[in-house]
Amino acid sequence: MDVTIRPLAAERWPEAAAVAGRAFWTEAYMRPLDEDPVGRFATVQDIYRGMDVTGAATTTLAAFAGDHVVGIACVEAAGACFFCTMDVAADPKGDTELARRSHALDLLIRTLHVGLPLHAYIGPVAVEPTLQGHGIGSMLVHAAWALAAADGPATVALDCDPRLEPYYASRGFRRVGVVTDGWGFDIVGLRRDRGEAGI
């Protein structure tokens, strides 16, 4: 079956969020959220379901096998990067430990964007775990890059787990910095400038 990439209708975000949750809940950096696997799975699903992907400057691209969502890549247009538009003086959204830690993590990732020129942002990128290794992620990254670069920003940014840095480097992204979250996990900031070879 052929996989096609096209924008995801907003009402289908829960289906896409479930793909992201399944793709990420077993990652080591998610373990501090809950030691119980069932609780962690539910928490990660809730995190992705709660993402706001409905803004006019955000496009969620989905990989479809027929009518089934098998992967996603969110793209924020130049000047609309979530991390850069954060109100650093604002309190966390919610009074839970998870809300406080998520807010602190967002502020930390924001430091990777300081000093970048006007940029679009890609993230998250996720593929259904049982379908990884079939080129779906590459199709999504290629399409996300094309969409992000279409408005002509100086660069396109994304952040990733250090294990994925070689994958993105092979697609033209280069490191701008690394930060370490409150649990001791590193996050790599990457960029790919317009006109640079890549994908």
Side-chain angles (χ1 to χ4, degrees):
M1 175 176 283
D2 290 335
V3 172
T4 59
I5 309 294
R6 61 183 187 267
L8 181 78
E11 63 270 13
R12 293 197 66 182
W13 174 250
E15 185 180 352
V19 170
R22 288 190 297 272
F24 298 129
W25 82 275
T26 58
E27 295 291 337
Y29 57 82
M30 292 293 190
R31 288 199 179 111
L33 296 176
D34 197 322
E35 289 299 319
D36 171 49
V38 175
R40 183 168 60 250
F41 178 84
T43 298
V44 174
Q45 288 287 327
D46 288 345
I47 288 170
Y48 285 101
R49 253 192 311 196
M51 283 180 62
D52 182 5
V53 296
T54 60
T58 301
T59 301
T60 298
L61 296 176
F64 288 90
D67 192 45
H68 302 279
V69 176
V70 296
I72 62 160
C74 296
V75 178
E76 293 172 343
C81 170
F82 166 79
F83 298 105
C84 295
T85 58
M86 284 182 70
D87 179 357
V88 296
D91 291 328
K93 294 180 181 174
D95 192 29
T96 65
E97 180 65 18
L98 179 59
R100 287 188 290 278
R101 286 191 176 249
S102 294
H103 183 70
L105 179 60
D106 291 343
L107 290 172
L108 186 64
I109 293 172
R110 185 180 190 280
T111 66
L112 293 168
H113 294 238
V114 172
L116 288 178
L118 180 69
H119 59 277
Y121 179 75
I122 298 173
V125 177
V127 174
E128 185 67 47
T130 57
L131 297 176
Q132 292 174 5
H134 294 278
I136 297 168
S138 294
M139 292 173 63
L140 282 164
V141 172
H142 179 78
W145 159 260
L147 179 62
D151 288 337
T155 194
V156 176
L158 63 84
D159 312 301
C160 69
D161 182 292
R163 292 176 302 117
L164 294 173
E165 186 175 2
Y167 172 84
Y168 287 112
S170 72
R171 286 149 180 81
F173 289 87
R174 59 188 164 85
R175 181 187 285 213
V176 296
V178 179
V179 293
T180 304
D181 71 16
W183 294 295
F185 294 101
D186 289 340
I187 302 155
V188 180
L190 302 169
R191 71 187 279 183
R192 179 177 168 205
D193 296 345
R194 291 183 72 242
E196 289 182 338
I199 306 167

